[in-house]
Amino acid sequence: MDYPLTQFSAEVTAAIAATGKVDPALIELTTPRANIPADLAFPAFKAAKALGVAPPQLAAELAAAIMPGGLIGAVEAAGPFLNFSMHPARSAAAVITAIHTLGPQYGHHGEGNGQRIVVDYSAPNIARRMHVGHIRSTIIGQAIVNIYRALGYQVIGDNHLGDWGTQFGTVISSIQRYGKPDAGGETAMEQLEAIYARYNNEMKAQAAAREQANAEGAAEPTFDPDLEAEARRWSLALEQGDPEARAIWQWCVDLTLTAAQRNYNRLGIRFDHAYGESFYEALLPGVITETLESGAAFRDADGSVVAELEKLPKFIIQRNDGGTVYMTRDIATVKFRLSEFDPTQIIYVVDGRQELHFRQLFAIMRAMNYAETVALVHIPFGIVTTPDGQPLSTRKGNMVYLESLLDEAVARARAVVERKSPELPEDEKTAVAEAVGVGAVVYNDLYQDPKRNITMDWERMLATDGNSATYLQYSHARCRSILRKAGEDGGVGQRMADPALLTHPAEQKLLKHLARLPDAVREAGERYAPFVIADWCYSSAREFGVFFEQCPVLKADTPDLRAARLALVEVTAQALANGLALLGITAPERM
Ligand code: ARG
């Protein structure tokens, strides 16, 4: 089924072509400026030039030749433009029918059918709490996954866990030295971070003592245990598959994933895979050989394997001690994903500070001829700051971690719910507070271009009347409450709604706006921009607010008008819930 706006634009194109006056190849339509009372325009310049006539003359001839019909309500020439307006009654019917028939599928497309896309997102590091960088990746990544699924693609979400690297020697060593954390969730991760830091400090103290002795010409002190040697030993043991090292590492992985899963559940995040960096370990020797043999990389004077491509700074693929790096595993990951999934795109949702890393990665994949059939895309995002613009940082002690962030959001949302809806039953209040709190955090990440920094400003995030998830959720709940009330008075569904009655300007504006969701979804995908959906949701809620203020629903002048308006309220709720779902935000029935 074609969406109403698609059908309208197809009818306009066909009507112009049917006049026989314009070469179909020259029919390009534009959206008129907001002050023009039309829905689609044909600028006649190119076609007029080809015919050797003045554009206003061609526009006038076409206007005379085209009869309104179907979704076309009026045709009018305005200087060099031919303006088309939708037929109010017929387009109202088309929009309401489309949303009503498709329900939760309204806004979805089939254009991606048969194509696969890999999205690499979240990717926290093992034995660490998820900080704002991973939070943003998780939320933006899931929205991208949802949007591409709605476009019909088969999307494979992969959580590329940071579970490998030399620092794990230190992690294992610190656990051996100070014992395993006894808590769960974020607290356990915090304890792991603490013993890691403590181990590092002691290790530095040993190094400093050694240096001082050297400077003084004294005998080098010996330590038992020598912490650095110990960490290196564990790192090597892990790499060589030593069972004890492996077991502790696995314990860390499980602990981290269990803690992360609690947050993922609250956020509605689901991955298809979480291979993680360690998964690629066995492939790395082959990858290094291949980078050299393909000529993409070379052996540097110090024995390391490096690449220097496309005027980008030189980067390491294998250290001169034989060790591999983050980049080596990312090269292996691309190769694996290509052979395993044959995707048309691999999308990385990763902190903007890794921009150079991805440019280098994509460059070496091109140099190795792997980027011919796949688009490699990095979606960078900005940092998170306090309301007065201070960046959050672990060093400054103002870092925000995911679990505590969600807990705080829900506690604050609870206060809003208590204030606004004291009559709700206890368990519903709990559920609504969870939806509102989590929604506020998610929306804060999605309502603007990901490249921009976001601020953690609770007032704005939980505002019931601004550009916030709370406001959108309220708008949806308000629609549902009207429908409930109508049901209680026995009104809804009893009378066939006639959309032709929806001729009030506020009704028409709302309808035309609802009609745009399918285009917004497509645009959000093309631009990797969930904020396009967020903008659509926000304007929908506002148009609904205007309609609600100007057009009484339950107290409409006639039962027929009431039925028609109820139908509009119902499709508004559905479309808004669909938009919010794409962002990963739930829409409670009552608030
Ligand atoms: N674990 C990494 C970090 O925390 C992010 C990984 C992103 N994905 C990738 N394929 N490199 O910085």
Side-chain angles (χ1 to χ4, degrees), residues 120-125 131 134 137 160-163 277 326 330 333 337 348-351 354 357-358 361:
D120 177 317
Y121 68 116
S122 194
N125 298 324
H131 61 66
H134 305 116
S137 171
H160 191 71
L161 304 169
D163 60 358
E277 292 184 45
Y326 182 51
D330 257 331
T333 307
R337 286 173 177 163
Y348 296 84
V349 186
V350 186
D351 197 320
Q354 294 191 30
H357 169 80
F358 286 104
L361 172 65

Side-chain angles (χ1 to χ4, degrees), residues 62-109:
L62 290 171
I66 295 172
M67 282 295 116
L71 291 181
I72 304 175
V75 197
E76 217 172 282
F81 292 95
L82 187 62
N83 289 336
F84 292 85
S85 304
M86 293 179 89
H87 188 280
R90 286 196 291 268
S91 60
V95 174
I96 288 184
T97 308
I99 302 176
H100 198 81
T101 335
L102 293 170
Q105 295 295 314
Y106 174 69
H108 293 214
H109 297 268

